[in-house]
Amino acid sequence: MKQRYHKEVITGSRRISNYFWVIVLGFGGIGFSLSGLSSYFKINLLPFIDIADLIFIPQGILMLFYGTLSTVVSIFLLLSIIWDVGGGYNEYNFEFSLVRIVRKGFPGPNRRVSLIYPFEDISTIELEVTEGLNSSRNIFICLKDNRRIPITSVEQPRTLAVIEKQASDLANLLDVNLTFKR
């Protein structure tokens, strides 16, 4: 008996690496900002560092700038984690012959992106592999009107064997051909 429903959960911004960078950038940014402010006000705002030799222009102002920038990036990343930007699911409903792709975005009128395609509009499943410094391994649903819809999450590239098996299983599940693109 063929299954009637299949769902894949996609991890968004709530990845361990993002939590790590929020902490590192947050503490680093606060430390740099306090060092820059300490050099301006000529008082030690950080008790474990002596800033007597730190001159506000150019070192202090640069530390303040980099600290502010780091803190802003940390807050942005924290908000992305709270809102789970990029998170969602892929749903394959065999009872109604539909593929539903749902993702979360930033708050606003278009926060939830929901794409629905009937099985008969799907021509192939495409596995795209790029190697090198910025390597990626992605699976796409290719439609008959030549649109390519990515269905893999943005994360650390999985091994080629794992991504090939996932693409092959999906192609068998949807009863379409699997193509490979390098």
Side-chain angles (χ1 to χ4, degrees):
M1 183 174 145
K2 192 171 184 177
Q3 63 185 7
R4 296 173 46 201
Y5 178 79
H6 180 73
K7 188 174 186 175
E8 298 172 352
V9 176
I10 302 296
T11 305
S13 295
R14 294 181 180 168
R15 295 188 313 262
I16 293 173
S17 62
N18 284 350
Y19 287 106
F20 169 78
W21 285 113
V22 163
I23 292 168
V24 168
L25 289 172
F27 283 122
I30 290 169
F32 268 61
S33 295
L34 287 176
S35 295
L37 288 173
S38 293
S39 70
Y40 180 75
F41 292 118
K42 304 285 190 232
I43 55 171
N44 267 347
L45 296 174
L46 291 170
F48 50 87
I49 296 177
D50 182 28
I51 55 99
D53 296 333
L54 191 64
I55 303 165
F56 182 66
I57 295 188
Q59 293 111 344
I61 199 163
L62 252 144
M63 290 185 84
L64 187 59
F65 172 74
Y66 285 131
T68 304
L69 191 64
S70 178
T71 305
V72 168
V73 170
S74 175
I75 291 169
F76 170 76
L77 203 51
L78 179 64
L79 290 174
S80 294
I81 290 170
I82 291 169
W83 295 324
D84 194 23
V85 174
Y89 60 90
N90 301 330
E91 177 182 290
Y92 309 97
N93 190 326
F94 298 99
E95 187 176 345
F96 299 107
S97 297
L98 293 174
V99 173
R100 175 176 287 139
I101 301 167
V102 177
R103 300 289 187 273
K104 295 176 192 168
F106 289 100
N110 298 324
R111 172 160 167 68
R112 184 172 180 219
V113 176
S114 181
L115 307 171
I116 301 172
Y117 301 104
F119 285 178
E120 60 264 6
D121 286 354
I122 300 171
S123 63
T124 60
I125 300 297
E126 183 178 287
L127 175 59
E128 182 181 78
V129 177
T130 56
E131 298 296 338
L133 187 59
N134 191 16
S135 65
S136 68
R137 296 176 179 136
N138 298 312
I139 300 173
F140 294 90
I141 290 180
C142 298
L143 303 177
K144 290 181 179 173
D145 60 0
N146 294 329
R147 287 184 286 169
R148 296 172 62 221
I149 314 297
I151 59 169
T152 49
S153 61
V154 179
E155 57 187 28
Q156 204 53 21
R158 289 166 281 181
T159 63
L160 192 55
V162 169
I163 196 86
E164 280 179 346
K165 178 161 178 25
Q166 185 182 0
S168 175
D169 290 347
L170 182 59
N172 287 334
L173 205 61
L174 297 176
D175 197 27
V176 294
N177 291 331
L178 174 63
T179 60
F180 183 77
K181 184 178 179 184
R182 218 176 234 305

